Amino acid sequence: MPLPRLAEIAVRTAVDRSFHYAVPERLAPLLRIGQRVMVPFGPRLLPGTVVSFPERSEFKKLKEIVSIQDPEPLCTPHLLELTKWVAGYYACAWSEALEAAVPSGAKSGRAASSIQIAALGVPPEEAKASALALRAKAPRQSRMLEILLGEPGTELPAADLVRAAKASRAPLNGLVKTGLVRLRLEEVPDDELLSGEVPLQKPLAPTAEQAAALQEIASCEGFGAFLLHGVTGSGKTEVYLQALARVLARGQQGIVLVPEIALTPQTVGRFRARFRDVAVLHSRLTEAQRRAQWDRIRSGKARVVVGARSAVFAPAADLGLIVVDEEPEGSFKQQSKPRYHARDVALQRARMLGIPVILGSATPSLESWEATQSGRMQLLTLHERQGGGALPPVRVVDMRQELREMKKLAHLS
């Protein structure tokens, strides 16, 4: 295969287009689609993602790629296609969609299993004196020492220290050379949702309605959208679990999207009790934890991904099923750029891959319900509670009458 001479780059700008760059000979053997690079853009150097290798360009004079940021591609061809759809559908720049798809922890290149901790290398009294002496000639180094002196235990993750001092890595490296600060590697603790042992649980015997729903999902060849409409306690999660088990038996992976408020140890615990190799993606992960989860998913070590809306972009290499639990929840909508709805992105991703997607809720959204009426989505219904429990009684109260009675009492008093 000939080495690339041209590269199409989605540069991280608000401009809704990609740009052509020349590939220097020194980088050509290393460059692959999906990698991040640094490119000149006007007077600045900006990051961008390689999205293709065109054979020719309409422009005669092209600037060259300056450097490669990632040893391995962070975006698969499928994720590039998906983010391009997100950019077009939600009217944002392709680079903005790529930023949403690849978490900052994955982009940092930080080792997944450890994190650098910066600590004072001298007694606090000596550090105070050094901070004072450096204040005029090296203010950022002085600021770093002051930050460490204000921390319990006088230590902090190195990345957080650099960020808090609003500095680059160079001042910290200078402090390390002089011995005022020392660095050590510390193992990244597991996310709390994945900590502790969970007893393995066997699948429950499905009810007749659950078995019918599972049969419909299993018989789906290619893309299929299912709305699982079940009353509270009807066993929708058990349908998800058994549908996922069939996907994993074929050697594929599955993604389960849940609202942020539902991402609790109990929720994740149910999936861990059925499938050992579970990854979790949510906003409370540290960068190192996020990188660790990202690497487990991409390598195939994690077979099931449970997460909030951003998990719709999880780099599962062989995805076989996507589940969106409580699909009408507003937390599936991204409120900042790029604004997207994870439910709709999940539907599009499943359509591109030719796999089924299950939307579940006791109170479906109007959009999903209308899709079942028009034939674009198949309705699966669970009318009864699992185990035969009765639903609580419901009484409709006319609050207008209540208001009239309260006004009458107020008038009499």
Side-chain angles (χ1 to χ4, degrees):
M1 184 177 178
L3 296 177
R5 295 184 302 107
L6 300 173
E8 181 185 2
I9 311 292
V11 184
R12 194 172 71 186
T13 68
V15 181
D16 187 16
R17 57 159 295 183
S18 53
F19 298 87
H20 287 176
Y21 284 85
V23 180
E25 288 187 14
R26 62 185 174 84
L27 299 181
L30 307 173
L31 196 61
R32 284 179 282 174
I33 291 175
Q35 284 177 310
R36 286 185 316 131
V37 294
M38 293 297 292
V39 294
F41 193 85
R44 300 173 293 167
L45 277 180
L46 293 179
T49 301
V50 180
V51 297
S52 75
F53 293 131
E55 292 185 1
R56 60 184 61 87
S57 176
E58 59 189 283
F59 304 102
K60 292 183 178 180
K61 297 185 70 175
L62 296 174
K63 296 181 179 180
E64 286 191 342
I65 295 171
V66 174
S67 63
I68 299 174
Q69 297 293 97
D70 312 302
E72 298 291 333
L74 292 180
C75 263
T76 63
H78 162 64
L79 282 179
L80 287 174
E81 184 185 5
L82 180 64
T83 52
K84 188 172 185 178
W85 176 86
V86 169
Y89 190 78
Y90 293 102
C92 67
W94 193 356
S95 60
E96 291 175 332
L98 286 165
E99 284 289 304
V102 183
S104 57
K107 290 178 288 193
S108 71
R110 181 182 295 168
S113 60
S114 60
I115 185 173
Q116 278 193 326
I117 301 295
L120 289 179
V122 295
E125 294 76 16
E126 186 177 341
K128 287 179 183 178
S130 298
L132 188 61
L134 290 168
R135 190 169 291 173
K137 61 179 181 178
R140 287 185 174 84
Q141 289 186 339
S142 174
R143 176 63 182 148
M144 286 182 176
L145 289 175
E146 289 173 352
I147 291 170
L148 285 175
L149 285 165
E151 288 294 321
T154 61
E155 59 181 38
L156 199 63
D160 292 347
L161 176 61
V162 169
R163 192 180 301 112
K166 297 181 180 179
S168 66
R169 186 75 186 210
L172 177 59
N173 293 339
L175 290 172
V176 173
K177 286 182 180 179
T178 59
L180 290 170
V181 171
R182 56 185 172 80
L183 295 177
R184 75 172 192 277
L185 287 178
E186 185 174 287
E187 290 298 310
V188 177
D190 281 337
D191 174 59
E192 61 179 7
L193 297 176
L194 296 176
S195 61
E197 290 295 323
V198 177
L200 192 63
Q201 294 180 359
K202 294 182 179 180
L204 301 175
T207 64
E209 289 181 330
Q210 288 174 328
L214 286 166
Q215 181 57 39
E216 290 291 337
I217 297 165
S219 63
C220 174
E221 295 182 2
F223 169 71
F226 299 90
L227 176 61
L228 184 61
H229 179 210
V231 298
T232 303
S234 60
K236 293 187 292 295
T237 303
E238 186 63 29
V239 174
Y240 306 154
L241 290 166
Q242 296 197 26
L244 282 166
R246 297 181 183 186
V247 168
L248 268 59
R250 299 196 299 264
Q252 294 181 293
Q253 295 169 282
I255 293 175
V256 181
L257 301 182
V258 294
E260 187 73 27
I261 56 172
L263 199 59
T264 63
Q266 181 182 8
T267 304
V268 177
R270 292 195 64 179
F271 288 91
R272 289 184 63 210
R274 198 69 61 86
F275 315 112
R276 288 304 189 199
D277 303 322
V278 176
V280 175
L281 292 175
H282 60 91
S283 59
R284 294 188 295 275
L285 292 177
T286 66
E287 284 193 357
Q289 288 172 334
R290 191 177 294 272
R291 176 60 186 262
Q293 297 300 308
W294 183 267
D295 286 344
R296 290 181 62 229
I297 299 164
R298 187 167 53 176
S299 67
K301 292 180 180 178
R303 309 286 304 286
V304 176
V305 183
V306 182
R309 59 177 176 267
S310 63
V312 73
F313 298 110
D318 189 7
L319 193 58
L321 176 68
I322 304 176
V323 174
V324 185
D325 190 31
E326 299 302 335
E327 59 92 14
E329 284 291 329
S331 60
F332 285 128
K333 294 181 180 180
Q334 171 81 4
Q335 299 299 329
S336 57
K337 283 188 177 182
R339 295 176 176 87
Y340 66 89
H341 198 310
R343 178 199 62 205
D344 297 339
V345 177
L347 285 164
Q348 179 63 21
R349 185 171 187 180
R351 188 176 289 108
M352 286 178 170
L353 292 174
I355 62 172
V357 58
I358 305 171
L359 311 184
S361 178
T363 55
S365 63
L366 290 176
E367 303 97 311
S368 298
W369 189 259
E370 191 278 330
T372 65
Q373 305 306 299
S374 62
R376 292 179 290 114
M377 195 176 294
Q378 185 173 346
L379 179 63
L380 307 174
T381 307
L382 304 179
H383 296 93
E384 298 177 356
R385 281 188 155 185
Q386 198 169 22
L391 289 168
V394 176
R395 183 167 61 95
V396 178
V397 177
D398 187 345
M399 295 306 294
R400 295 171 299 178
Q401 179 62 30
E402 188 86 3
L403 182 61
R404 284 193 289 268
E405 291 179 2
M406 289 177 63
K407 285 181 176 179
K408 187 184 295 184
L409 289 172
H411 178 72
L412 292 174
S413 62

